[in-house]
Amino acid sequence: MDQLKGWNLLAAVNARINNLVQYRDDIDTYGRQDHWATPVEALTGRGDCEDYAILKYISLLELGVSDQQMRIVVVKDTRRGIGHAVLSVNLDGKTYVLDSLRRAPVLDSKLNRYVPYYSVNRQGQWLNIATRKRNPQLAKRKTIKVGFADTPAEETRIAQIDKPEEESSGTNTSTRRNELQ
């Protein structure tokens, strides 16, 4: 894959990982509702949507794609009515989505079935603007707790809202669990 670049690199990584990992619910694999597997755990060949996204993220990092270009995005799949995770990659001013449900990367503008909740990479966490508009109380907070239904409190991740410090000073910084369906 060293000679591959751009969209061809994204397509090769997406296809390779989609073929490598067989979808398996976390409850079947780890005995609990939600578990974000390490790349080593995902390489055992079993995982769910965020495990695919994490493995693609780490693979592309190793292949020279910068962290600033990528985010693991937790979305609501409006067709299936469930939470889902994908990897988004900004390449030449366009954002592509690498999805465990698709053979090839697709432009994010072509995916209207997904409503983004939040995204993460090694640099930070971001709460989607539409999520803030649907829940104005979240927009007033600097951080929220984000987890799936039945995620134990100690495993719930914290997502930082991307507000400048001066905007959020004096606001309530308490946290709230946002359960994704």
Side-chain angles (χ1 to χ4, degrees):
M1 283 197 219
D2 290 338
Q3 283 88 355
L4 294 177
K5 297 203 185 287
W7 187 90
N8 290 328
L9 177 64
L10 300 183
V13 167
N14 192 65
R16 175 77 58 112
I17 291 171
N18 285 357
N19 289 330
L20 175 72
V21 179
Q22 291 181 346
Y23 184 86
R24 187 92 24 96
D25 283 327
D26 285 336
I27 198 78
D28 296 332
T29 307
Y30 300 103
R32 54 187 179 178
Q33 191 69 30
D34 191 42
H35 175 79
W36 283 44
T38 67
V40 172
E41 289 172 321
L43 286 171
T44 63
R46 296 183 314 249
D48 64 0
C49 57
E50 74 272 358
D51 304 330
Y52 286 83
I54 292 167
L55 194 51
K56 291 172 189 180
Y57 173 84
I58 295 299
S59 297
L60 288 168
L61 276 176
E62 290 295 316
L63 291 167
V65 177
S66 75
D67 191 50
Q68 293 87 353
Q69 291 175 267
M70 298 186 290
R71 290 188 180 173
I72 296 168
V73 186
V74 175
V75 299
K76 180 167 186 171
D77 182 334
T78 58
R79 285 192 191 152
R80 297 185 301 156
I82 60 172
H84 186 53
V86 297
L87 179 66
S88 72
V89 181
N90 187 294
L91 184 66
D92 300 324
K94 297 176 182 173
T95 302
Y96 293 93
V97 174
L98 284 67
D99 191 341
S100 60
L101 302 176
R102 294 181 173 267
R103 296 181 72 187
V106 64
L107 286 171
D108 68 338
S109 59
K110 304 286 184 190
L111 285 174
N112 53 11
R113 73 185 278 176
Y114 294 151
V115 176
Y117 284 114
Y118 67 95
S119 59
V120 298
N121 68 12
R122 291 188 310 181
Q123 309 234 332
Q125 309 86 32
W126 297 268
L127 184 63
N128 182 271
I129 227 72
T131 303
R132 289 188 212 171
K133 287 181 180 177
R134 282 192 307 275
N135 195 336
Q137 288 134 348
L138 290 179
K140 296 177 186 174
R141 299 177 178 171
K142 183 166 169 118
T143 61
I144 61 164
K145 287 187 179 178
V146 185
F148 288 91
D150 302 322
T151 302
E154 66 275 6
E155 295 176 23
T156 302
R157 291 164 298 282
I158 300 293
Q160 178 180 337
I161 296 175
D162 55 348
K163 289 173 86 174
E165 248 339 281
E166 59 273 6
E167 280 185 31
S168 62
S169 62
T171 61
N172 179 358
T173 58
S174 64
T175 58
R176 175 177 181 210
R177 182 174 172 155
N178 179 24
E179 294 191 0
L180 306 180
Q181 298 294 328

